[in-house]
Amino acid sequence: RVPWAGRSASLSLPLLGPQPSISNSEGDLLFLLDSSGSVSYYEFSRVKEFMWDLVHPFTFGPKDVQTSIIHISTTPTMEFPFDRYLSSGTLQQAIRDTQQLMGDTNTGKALSYAKEKLFSDEAGARPDVPKVLVWVTDGFSTDDISEPMQLLKDMGVTVFIVSTGRGNYLELSAAASQPPEKHLHFVDVDDLPIITKELRDAILANRLHAVDITSSSFRLTWPKLLSQETGYYTLEYAPIDDLARKRTKQVSGAHTSLLLSNLAPETTYEVALIPESNVHYFPPQTTRVTTLAEHNEFPYSGTQLAALSLKRCPAQVLISESAPHSFHVSWAPTLDSVISYQILYGPLPGNSVKLLEVDGKSNSTVVENLAPNTTYLVTVTAVYKSGKEKSLSAKACTQEAEGVGGGQPVPNSANKSILCWYQDNVKD
């Protein structure tokens, strides 16, 4: 390994600016921290920075995220239990105060200890929340890890591995949850910030969450836990202010998503996914999802729209070249700070929505496989490098099918799929 000669030894956790908080992400997150003598003081300090960067957007508490640290050393040691630090400030200070223990790299012992603590009341762990283990290592271990790691995964723990050294790819890819390309990262200790958001997103994706949210529907997605042979899911959902209206669905174990429709607008729903397995126990997963408001009129005057075009992107969404089964969507302006555009579209009225994604350098796309003579709601969302999202919507109408109205694309000047209204939706 390259020696860290000349590195500063007086590192501290960075002062981060305002960050969007991540709530409704209940789970126990355990860091398995290589605290052995094979890790330099500089590396250990950088890993502490990485740990805080990874978790600081979460909301902490008994109904949100709880975090703990176990040191890998000659003898495994818990730095603090899950339920000790339940605020951002106290957790940041606890990570900053964490001291390296040195000693041997007995990772297998630490994994066995982690298995015991991940499911114990003594360590503040909760019995029915998702369990995630993040193992940060320089790639070496002096004892066997395969058996204790498999026991953890058999109990429903999702394992992410971050190797800051060379390591053994075959050994580490077998140790991480599957597929390894989503759960195993090799990165130099100075480049840990590069993977922080990707790893955080992967942790969030390994639990129940909602996408494609509209005023009357949303799609739930969850990690693959079961198969058609090993069980099924029970899904329960109800408005949080009227839990007596709870609805229940059974979903095949082969599925990892489900569209819920016929929902009330501007309503928060409590959702629970219960895996019913005939092989292993998996804890239920819960989330809260709020549907969007209904929009029935054009909300901006021409002056307001002109002002928006100066300061927001996309400031304009145009529909053209309408045909029975397609239309062309374009937007402006395009900015270097946008990494991609997401085009969400669905018929009005209706609950089905579909998603297209295009490169941030593009400013148009064709939406195809549509129903003729149908009004669609189209939303274009700019996804920025900073993680922010800004959206604008338009209504569009496909033409009548051939034999009814001719089925030819209509030029812009006579296009039936005219822009009906705009919606600016900024999510910071």
Side-chain angles (χ1 to χ4, degrees):
R1 299 187 49 113
V2 179
W4 299 100
R7 304 280 195 180
S8 167
S10 58
L11 294 173
S12 61
L13 295 181
L15 294 175
L16 297 166
Q19 299 288 325
S21 63
I22 301 172
S23 57
N24 299 326
S25 298
E26 189 176 22
D28 289 338
L29 173 60
L30 177 64
F31 285 101
L32 199 63
L33 176 62
D34 192 341
S35 192
S36 68
S38 67
V39 178
S40 73
Y41 176 80
Y42 174 82
E43 290 174 298
F44 191 78
S45 299
R46 293 307 300 265
V47 170
K48 289 200 298 181
E49 293 179 12
F50 165 72
M51 289 163 54
W52 172 244
D53 287 349
L54 183 67
V55 302
H56 80 267
F58 290 115
T59 300
F60 304 101
K63 294 295 184 181
D64 289 286
V65 171
Q66 294 187 167
T67 302
S68 176
I69 296 175
I70 289 178
H71 292 268
I72 300 172
S73 185
T74 303
T75 301
T77 303
M78 178 174 285
E79 179 70 19
F80 50 81
F82 288 104
D83 57 355
R84 178 170 296 173
Y85 301 110
L86 301 180
S87 72
S88 180
T90 57
L91 180 61
Q92 182 181 21
Q93 187 62 48
I95 294 175
R96 178 185 288 119
D97 292 342
T98 299
Q99 299 295 312
Q100 189 173 358
L101 300 183
M102 309 303 287
D104 295 331
T105 315
N106 289 332
T107 308
K109 286 185 179 180
L111 287 167
S112 296
Y113 184 70
K115 172 179 172 290
E116 173 189 338
K117 297 303 179 184
L118 266 169
F119 295 93
S120 73
D121 294 337
E122 172 197 356
R126 295 161 292 179
D128 293 325
V129 302
K131 308 289 186 183
V132 173
L133 174 69
V134 176
W135 173 25
V136 186
T137 175
D138 65 359
F140 300 94
S141 178
T142 53
D143 60 352
D144 178 64
I145 67 169
S146 57
E147 183 177 351
M149 186 67 88
Q150 189 59 51
L151 289 173
L152 275 169
K153 291 190 288 187
D154 286 347
M155 297 180 78
V157 178
T158 302
V159 178
F160 293 89
I161 301 177
V162 178
S163 177
T164 61
R166 295 183 298 275
N168 182 315
Y169 175 78
L170 292 178
E171 180 182 59
L172 293 179
S173 61
S177 291
Q178 300 300 305
E181 59 268 20
K182 292 185 178 180
H183 297 87
L184 174 60
H185 296 269
F186 284 86
V187 62
D188 186 85
V189 72
D190 284 320
D191 293 330
L192 284 168
I194 295 174
I195 69 164
T196 301
K197 185 179 185 302
E198 180 182 352
L199 178 57
R200 188 189 304 126
D201 290 345
I203 291 172
L204 288 168
N206 270 272
R207 66 179 316 281
L208 178 69
H209 64 287
V211 297
D212 300 345
I213 302 171
T214 72
S215 62
S216 60
S217 68
F218 52 78
R219 179 171 292 278
L220 294 166
T221 69
W222 57 87
K224 184 174 178 59
L225 301 174
L226 309 175
S227 67
Q228 197 151 1
E229 292 74 33
T230 59
Y232 61 92
Y233 300 97
T234 298
L235 186 77
E236 300 175 345
Y237 62 102
I240 60 170
D241 58 356
D242 190 4
L243 295 178
R245 291 172 52 200
K246 180 178 73 174
R247 289 180 254 179
T248 303
K249 292 179 178 288
Q250 271 196 8
V251 187
S252 164
H255 291 181
T256 57
S257 72
L258 179 69
L259 180 69
L260 297 184
S261 56
N262 299 317
L263 306 177
E266 290 187 281
T267 301
T268 299
Y269 286 84
E270 184 83 40
V271 183
L273 180 75
I274 306 165
E276 308 284 0
S277 173
N278 54 31
V279 179
H280 299 295
Y281 169 75
F282 294 102
Q285 297 191 28
T286 61
T287 189
R288 287 184 175 182
V289 188
T290 303
T291 53
L292 303 182
E294 287 185 311
H295 297 275
N296 299 313
E297 60 184 5
F298 183 85
Y300 295 121
S301 67
T303 303
Q304 290 171 319
L305 185 58
L308 284 173
S309 67
L310 295 176
K311 62 182 181 181
R312 293 199 167 122
C313 173
Q316 210 174 20
V317 175
L318 298 175
I319 311 295
S320 61
E321 301 177 17
S322 174
H325 302 288
S326 66
F327 49 72
H328 187 267
V329 183
S330 59
W331 53 90
T334 54
L335 300 177
D336 291 339
S337 57
V338 176
I339 59 173
S340 67
Y341 291 96
Q342 295 178 345
I343 295 86
L344 192 68
Y345 61 97
L348 292 175
N351 299 313
S352 63
V353 291
K354 294 184 179 180
L355 178 68
L356 287 176
E357 189 161 4
V358 300
D359 186 84
K361 296 178 182 179
S362 302
N363 71 338
S364 67
T365 190
V366 176
V367 180
E368 299 179 305
N369 300 316
L370 305 176
N373 199 26
T374 301
T375 301
Y376 284 84
L377 177 64
V378 182
T379 300
V380 179
T381 301
V383 181
Y384 288 75
K385 295 176 182 176
S386 65
K388 294 183 179 180
E389 299 178 1
K390 298 181 181 180
S391 302
L392 211 60
S393 297
K395 285 182 182 176
C397 304
T398 52
Q399 299 300 304
E400 294 179 345
E402 190 170 356
V404 177
Q408 297 300 314
V410 179
N412 291 350
S413 59
N415 197 344
K416 281 178 61 181
S417 53
I418 188 170
L419 181 63
C420 297
W421 51 270
Y422 287 95
Q423 171 198 359
D424 188 60
N425 176 24
V426 182
K427 293 185 287 183
D428 292 330

